[in-house]
Structures are given as C-alpha cells and as structure tokens.
C-alpha cells in the first residue's frame, strides 16, 4: 500500500518551529503535541533557521538569479567587443556568434 504524506501549511510549520525556538519545547515534545514526526519538525526547524540567516533563496529568486547571470554574461561580452580594435573582424564575428 502506498503511503501518502500530509502537506502542512507554512504557517503551521512556522508556529511549530517557534514552539521549539521561543517557547522552550523540545523538538520531541512539540512534535508529539502537534502529531507530527520529530524528523519532520527538525527539517522544518533547519529550513526556518536557514531562511532567517538568509541562506536559502525565496521562491522567485532562482529565476531572477538565472536571468541576472545571463544578463551579466551578455554585458561582459559586449564589454569585450568594445575592447576589440576596428578591423579585427574574426574576433567580432566570434563574439557576435557567442552572444546568440
């Protein structure tokens, strides 16, 4: 039989973690009182602490990071094109091809 896992709202996860961090509950006691596994609560706690320290990316940030890296690469290539002396068509053609 396939075991299904329950999905919990983020607010529930945060409140569970705050029981441990701010109210002094042990992870085991908090997990037991909420009816979740201790390993699950430890996972939530790790993610919460990483987010508080700025170690994890928000949902929209990976896409933005990808876009900015692409833009940065294009700008670096354009900068290199500006450094090429006029009349060096092979180098210009190479960079033009790379930018596509």
């Amino acid at each position: 039989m396939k075991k299904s896992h329950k999905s919990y709202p983020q607010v529930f996860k945060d409140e569970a973690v705050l029981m441990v961090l701010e109210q002094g509950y042990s992870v085991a006691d908090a997990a037991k009182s909420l009816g979740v596994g201790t390993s699950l609560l430890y996972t939530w706690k790790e993610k919460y602490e990483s987010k508080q320290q700025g170690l994890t990316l928000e949902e929209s940030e990976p896409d933005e990071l990808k876009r900015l890296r692409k833009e940065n690469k294009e700008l670096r290539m354009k900068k290199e094109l500006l450094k090429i002396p006029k009349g060096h068509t092979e180098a210009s053609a190479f960079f033009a091809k790379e930018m596509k």
Side-chain angles (χ1 to χ4, degrees), residues 7-73:
S7 178
Y8 297 93
Q10 189 60 48
V11 173
F12 179 82
K13 296 175 187 180
D14 291 343
E15 290 297 323
V17 169
L18 292 176
M19 285 178 68
V20 175
L21 297 178
E22 293 180 355
Q23 297 178 21
Y25 283 81
S26 69
V27 172
D29 288 341
K32 185 177 179 181
S33 71
L34 296 169
V36 299
T38 55
S39 61
L40 184 58
L41 185 48
Y42 273 116
T43 301
W44 294 347
K45 184 175 174 274
E46 277 183 29
K47 288 181 181 178
Y48 182 90
E49 290 173 332
S50 293
K51 188 175 179 181
Q52 293 301 311
Q53 295 173 0
L55 299 177
T56 58
L57 298 176
E58 296 293 324
E59 275 186 40
S60 64
E61 289 179 326
D63 292 335
E64 182 181 9
L65 182 59
K66 186 177 179 180
R67 181 187 61 77
L68 290 171
R69 284 182 174 160
K70 181 180 178 184
E71 182 181 337
N72 191 11
K73 181 180 176 184

